[in-house]
């Protein structure tokens, strides 16, 4: 017995084999995940900033154990939100905790745990540099270079770590937008565009360039021709949503979006988004382009055109619109023999440094820029539902099964008990 035990310990120490017999190998990584983790050539540091909950930590450990099977140099570190505040501040982690994946000089942050999200983050860590994102400047737009509460410096830094190169361009000094620009961003201008600048943007769109247009609470600043070209414009007023009060928001203009429409971009987003001050969009269908909602408010929302003071409510018979309201939309159309992608968002504050760390804002922003630059492979993640996860049966079969469990099984037990009682009585 001692010899058998010693042999068993020896084998267990040196041979680690796991066999997944579940339907569709649900406890193993998908082929896409294996490919993604094998593509990470440098050591991978995973820092899990979270509370002391044992079950949550075990879930993180189990998931990364599967990745470590294919990449042994994954190092997992737990940082306690409650007992290590200095370390949390050093990492600049989100208030509710997050996963920080670091490889070389690149970094990815996740606020929800799933194989889909981890694999997408690994893919972004290994993507090649090349896609160019240009922010238009010269009209008091949100700056991607200045570190201010209302600016986009933190967003630009996140995009740089994801392999998207960001820059600012002036359409006055450089009226021709180069073909190398993969995405042009209009970030809530405060001053009017010159007609020549508008012509430069229209020329870029005519050549098939991709566009992200962030609106604010004021007018379109001379960009009406762009709105006409896209068939999208802002509705009067600002969006208020009575449903958002359940989240304890400090301002009535804060809109919490926790139900996302069906869109390839929205798959895998688990946390809600915070929109500090949104404009609703009016969409005019145009031939040759597909328009889909990206973000949409609840039915309890409306566009408030009056003063936001005291008790405000939707005014029937006015120009105000009742929800649900589209606050972000995407456009896809063929231009110059390629697929052009455009997104219009009725809010710029959600990307500002002051708010981008709230909810899923940062994660969604990164996915939005990736989708607009047509890197679909970074968003795609296909899984097959387990065959035994859902029982499909006819109504007759369900009736027979239900009757058997409700009446047949108790009757069978009574008959067995009676037979045993009779046998004992005779014996």
């Amino acid at each position: 017995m001692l010899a058998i035990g010693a042999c068993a310990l020896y084998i267990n120490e040196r041979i680690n084999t796991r066999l997944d017999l579940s339907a569709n190998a649900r406890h193993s990584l998908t082929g896409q995940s294996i490919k993604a983790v094998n593509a990470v050539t440098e050591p991978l540091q995973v820092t899990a900033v979270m509370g002391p909950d044992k079950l949550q930590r075990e879930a993180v450990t189990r998931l990364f154990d599967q990745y470590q099977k294919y990449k042994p140099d994954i190092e997992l570190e737990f940082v306690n939100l409650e007992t290590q505040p200095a370390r949390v501040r050093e990492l600049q982690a989100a208030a509710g905790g997050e996963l920080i994946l670091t490889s070389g000089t690149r970094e990815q942050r996740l606020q929800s745990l799933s194989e889909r999200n981890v694999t997408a983050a690994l893919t972004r860590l290994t993507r090649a540099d090349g896609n160019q994102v240009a922010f238009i400047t010269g009209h008091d737009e949100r700056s991607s270079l200045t570190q201010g509460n209302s600016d986009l410096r933190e967003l630009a830094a996140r995009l740089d770590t994801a392999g998207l190169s960001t820059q600012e361009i002036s359409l006055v000094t450089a009226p021709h937008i180069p073909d190398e620009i993969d995405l042009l961003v209009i970030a809530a201008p405060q001053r009017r565009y010159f007609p020549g600048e508008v012509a430069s943007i229209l020329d870029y769109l005519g050549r098939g360039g991709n566009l992200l247009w962030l609106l604010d609470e004021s007018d379109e600043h001379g960009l009406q021709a762009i709105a006409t070209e896209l068939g999208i414009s802002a509705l009067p007023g600002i969006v208020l949503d009575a449903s958002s009060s359940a989240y304890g928001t400090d301002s009535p203009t804060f809109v919490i979006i926790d139900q996302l429409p069906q869109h390839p971009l929205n798959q895998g987003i688990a946390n809600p988004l915070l929109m500090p001050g949104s404009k609703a969009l009016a969409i005019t269908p145009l031939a040759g382009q597909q328009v889909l909602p990206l973000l949409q408010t609840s039915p309890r929302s409306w566009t408030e055109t009056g003063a936001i003071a005291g008790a405000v409510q939707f005014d029937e018979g006015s120009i105000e619109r009742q929800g649900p309201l589209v606050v972000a939309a995407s456009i896809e159309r063929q231009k110059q023999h390629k697929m052009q992608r455009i997104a219009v968002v009725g809010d710029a504050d959600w990307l500002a440094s002051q708010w981008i760390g709230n909810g899923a804002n940062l994660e969604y922003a990164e996915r939005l820029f990736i989708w607009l630059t047509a890197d679909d492979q970074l968003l795609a993640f296909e899984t097959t539902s387990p065959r035994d996860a859902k029982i499909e049966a006819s109504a007759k079969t369900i009736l027979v099964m239900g009757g058997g469990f409700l009446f047949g099984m108790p009757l069978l037990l009574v008959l067995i008990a009676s037979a045993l009682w009779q046998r004992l009585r005779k014996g």
Side-chain angles (χ1 to χ4, degrees):
M1 293 294 293
L2 289 174
I4 293 173
C7 291
L9 289 174
Y10 179 85
I11 294 172
N12 183 68
E13 184 70 21
R14 286 161 177 76
I15 300 176
N16 183 15
T17 303
R18 183 177 64 177
L19 185 61
D20 188 354
L21 299 178
S22 60
N24 291 351
R26 74 181 74 177
H27 298 294
S28 302
L29 294 180
T30 63
Q32 187 173 350
S33 296
I34 296 171
K35 181 180 178 181
V37 74
N38 285 334
V40 182
T41 56
E42 299 187 57
L44 178 65
Q45 171 69 38
V46 181
T47 306
V49 183
M50 58 196 311
D53 187 277
K54 182 179 178 181
L55 293 178
Q56 291 182 353
R57 294 193 172 208
E58 287 178 351
V60 173
T61 302
R62 282 196 304 269
L63 178 58
F64 282 99
D65 279 347
Q66 297 183 37
Y67 287 95
Q68 285 176 327
K69 179 181 178 181
Y70 301 94
K71 184 175 176 60
D73 59 351
I74 295 178
E75 182 181 346
L76 177 61
E77 175 193 5
F78 286 98
V79 176
N80 196 317
L81 277 170
E82 300 176 3
T83 61
Q84 298 175 269
R87 177 69 170 145
V88 173
R89 287 193 298 270
E90 178 188 348
L91 293 170
Q92 297 181 341
E98 59 186 355
L99 291 174
I100 306 174
L101 282 67
T102 307
S103 179
T105 59
R106 291 189 171 179
E107 175 184 282
Q108 287 291 304
R109 296 184 178 230
L110 304 174
Q111 295 182 0
S112 59
L113 179 69
S114 69
E115 183 185 344
R116 171 194 291 273
N117 291 341
V118 172
T119 296
L122 294 175
T123 305
R124 291 192 289 269
L125 284 173
T126 57
R127 73 188 305 275
D129 294 324
N131 286 344
Q132 303 289 321
V133 178
F135 293 80
I136 297 179
T137 187
H139 316 84
D140 293 336
E141 290 93 346
R142 308 297 178 97
S143 173
S144 63
L145 301 177
T146 305
Q147 185 65 50
N149 284 340
S150 61
D151 290 316
L152 309 178
R153 182 68 193 97
E154 288 193 22
L155 169 66
R158 175 65 175 259
L159 296 178
D160 289 335
T161 62
L164 296 172
S165 300
T166 60
Q167 59 180 287
E168 290 190 348
I169 63 171
S170 170
L171 299 182
V172 175
T173 58
H176 179 76
I177 302 172
D179 292 332
E180 292 74 24
I181 298 299
D182 298 285
L183 175 62
L184 188 68
V185 182
I186 304 174
Q190 301 300 307
R191 290 191 289 112
R192 190 174 185 83
Y193 277 66
F194 294 116
E197 296 176 297
V198 177
S200 296
I201 298 174
L202 290 173
D203 174 69
Y204 171 77
L205 293 176
R207 289 183 276 123
N210 303 316
L211 175 70
L212 171 61
W213 186 7
L214 303 173
L215 302 174
D216 63 4
E217 298 180 21
S218 54
D219 61 32
E220 294 168 341
H221 300 288
L223 296 174
Q224 290 85 355
I226 308 296
T228 302
E229 165 73 15
L230 304 180
I232 296 180
S233 59
L235 291 171
I238 189 170
V239 176
L240 302 185
D241 193 344
S243 302
S244 298
S245 60
Y247 289 87
T249 55
D250 298 329
S251 170
T253 63
F254 284 12
V255 175
I256 307 295
I257 299 179
D258 57 359
Q259 298 293 328
L260 302 182
Q262 289 293 325
H263 194 283
L265 174 61
N266 294 341
Q267 296 180 12
I269 300 295
N271 295 324
L273 278 75
L274 171 66
M275 312 290 283
S278 299
K279 302 281 288 186
L281 303 179
I283 299 175
T284 302
L286 299 179
Q289 66 182 31
Q290 180 186 32
V291 183
L292 294 174
L294 282 174
L295 300 175
Q296 189 169 282
T297 61
S298 76
R300 299 182 63 193
S301 61
W302 72 95
T303 55
E304 179 59 48
T305 57
I308 303 175
V312 292
Q313 61 182 4
F314 173 66
D315 296 325
E316 292 280 357
S318 67
I319 62 172
E320 296 181 353
R321 298 281 187 91
Q322 181 77 49
L325 302 165
V326 175
V327 295
S330 69
I331 297 174
E332 288 187 280
R333 59 187 184 181
Q334 287 288 336
K335 282 284 185 178
Q336 297 297 322
H337 308 292
K338 64 179 181 180
M339 182 61 70
Q340 181 184 58
R341 289 179 171 175
I342 299 168
V344 181
V345 186
D347 185 19
D349 287 324
W350 74 288
L351 293 179
S353 298
Q354 182 178 5
W355 306 110
I356 197 167
N358 290 272
N361 284 20
L362 186 55
E363 179 185 1
Y364 193 85
E366 183 178 348
R367 291 176 63 88
L368 175 61
F369 276 80
I370 288 173
W371 183 82
L372 286 169
T373 54
D375 273 351
D376 293 69
Q377 68 274 14
L378 301 186
L379 302 178
F381 186 90
E382 297 182 0
T383 57
T384 306
S385 299
R387 295 184 298 273
D388 56 355
K390 181 179 179 181
I391 298 177
E392 296 183 0
S394 63
K396 182 179 179 181
T397 303
I398 294 174
L399 182 62
V400 171
M401 292 174 61
F405 281 106
L406 287 175
F407 304 105
M409 188 66 70
L411 180 59
L412 177 62
L413 293 175
V414 170
L415 292 176
I416 293 173
S418 299
L420 290 174
W421 180 73
Q422 290 290 341
R423 183 176 177 181
L424 291 172
R425 185 179 178 185
K426 291 180 180 179

